[in-house]
Amino acid sequence: THTHTHTLQMSTSSSAQFRALLTGIYRRVYEGNDQITLQFLMDNVFKGTDITAEELGRLCTVCEKVLRRAGFEDWDVTNFDAIMEQSPLTEEQRDVFSKFWRAHRAKIHSLLVDKSSWDNELVRFSWRIDLQTKSKTVAELDDPTAILEFAIAPPTSLQSSAASGEASEHVVRFEMDQRQLAHAVHEFNKIDAIITEYTQAQ
């Protein structure tokens, strides 16, 4: 059995209605607004149209699945448009959806990252090179050391701290000599190589 999705006549007003539908789905899925129900959309967005609750429900299901998958997989615009070609939406609806995704992709990605972050996050990183003399009378220098400072904070505090101007940061400072620094750089390069290999394979 083939299921048909309701096709809106995409006049200026219906384009705005479809865009409002996407905004409602976005707010419900990614912002947790439980007030955006099917009945809410029927009463506030599609009132006076010939669309039925059953048809709107199918349309919502299609759009929500696309929005969830696009957000989870962080589709770029080219990938989004290519996959949308296989959807049951009309060309006009796909065009509106593509523009909506362009406008909201970064924010959706940021929201998903925030929701998936359980551990502390690096807020700030700074460093300096310290040179000290072995003697007050002899201008003989010790081996230079790197002074590193990491500021970390729980992910839930980042948005609130940005609003208040105060961050619940924990600052870690330590020294590294040339040998220790070379070893750390080597390990970071290995991490970068693995991440790069993984992302290119996707």
Side-chain angles (χ1 to χ4, degrees), residues 112-169:
L112 287 173
V113 169
D114 288 344
K115 289 180 180 180
S116 63
S117 297
W118 296 93
D119 297 325
N120 291 336
E121 296 182 359
L122 180 64
V123 178
R124 188 177 62 258
F125 167 65
S126 59
W127 60 271
R128 64 184 174 86
I129 302 300
D130 190 28
L131 295 173
Q132 296 181 343
T133 59
K134 293 180 178 179
S135 170
K136 293 182 180 179
T137 59
V138 181
E140 184 180 356
L141 298 178
D142 280 332
D143 290 335
T145 58
I147 311 297
L148 292 89
E149 179 178 295
F150 294 91
I152 58 177
T156 54
S157 73
L158 296 181
Q159 292 182 348
S160 59
S161 64
S164 65
E166 298 180 359
S168 61
E169 298 177 359

Side-chain angles (χ1 to χ4, degrees), residues 15-29:
S15 294
Q17 287 171 337
F18 185 68
R19 187 162 50 249
L21 170 66
L22 295 176
T23 300
I25 294 173
Y26 161 78
R27 289 176 178 172
R28 184 180 67 202
V29 171

Side-chain angles (χ1 to χ4, degrees), residues 8 10-12 14-23 80-81 84 89-104:
L8 295 175
M10 298 299 288
S11 62
T12 302
S14 58
S15 294
Q17 287 171 337
F18 185 68
R19 187 162 50 249
L21 170 66
L22 295 176
T23 300
F80 184 91
D81 290 343
M84 286 299 293
L89 301 179
T90 67
E91 181 178 351
E92 292 83 359
Q93 289 170 337
R94 293 196 298 268
D95 182 61
V96 172
F97 210 156
S98 179
K99 292 177 180 177
F100 183 88
W101 178 245
R102 290 170 190 262
H104 290 79

Side-chain angles (χ1 to χ4, degrees), residues 51-113:
I51 189 170
T52 67
E54 181 181 359
E55 290 169 333
L56 181 58
R58 288 198 296 267
L59 186 59
C60 284
T61 298
V62 170
C63 294
E64 182 173 335
K65 285 182 178 179
V66 170
L67 204 55
R68 284 184 182 275
R69 185 181 170 194
F72 180 76
E73 298 181 3
D74 193 25
W75 291 348
D76 59 28
V77 175
T78 301
N79 196 22
F80 184 91
D81 290 343
I83 294 176
M84 286 299 293
E85 288 291 332
Q86 304 170 21
S87 76
L89 301 179
T90 67
E91 181 178 351
E92 292 83 359
Q93 289 170 337
R94 293 196 298 268
D95 182 61
V96 172
F97 210 156
S98 179
K99 292 177 180 177
F100 183 88
W101 178 245
R102 290 170 190 262
H104 290 79
R105 177 191 174 192
K107 187 174 182 180
I108 287 174
H109 179 70
S110 178
L111 287 170
L112 287 173
V113 169

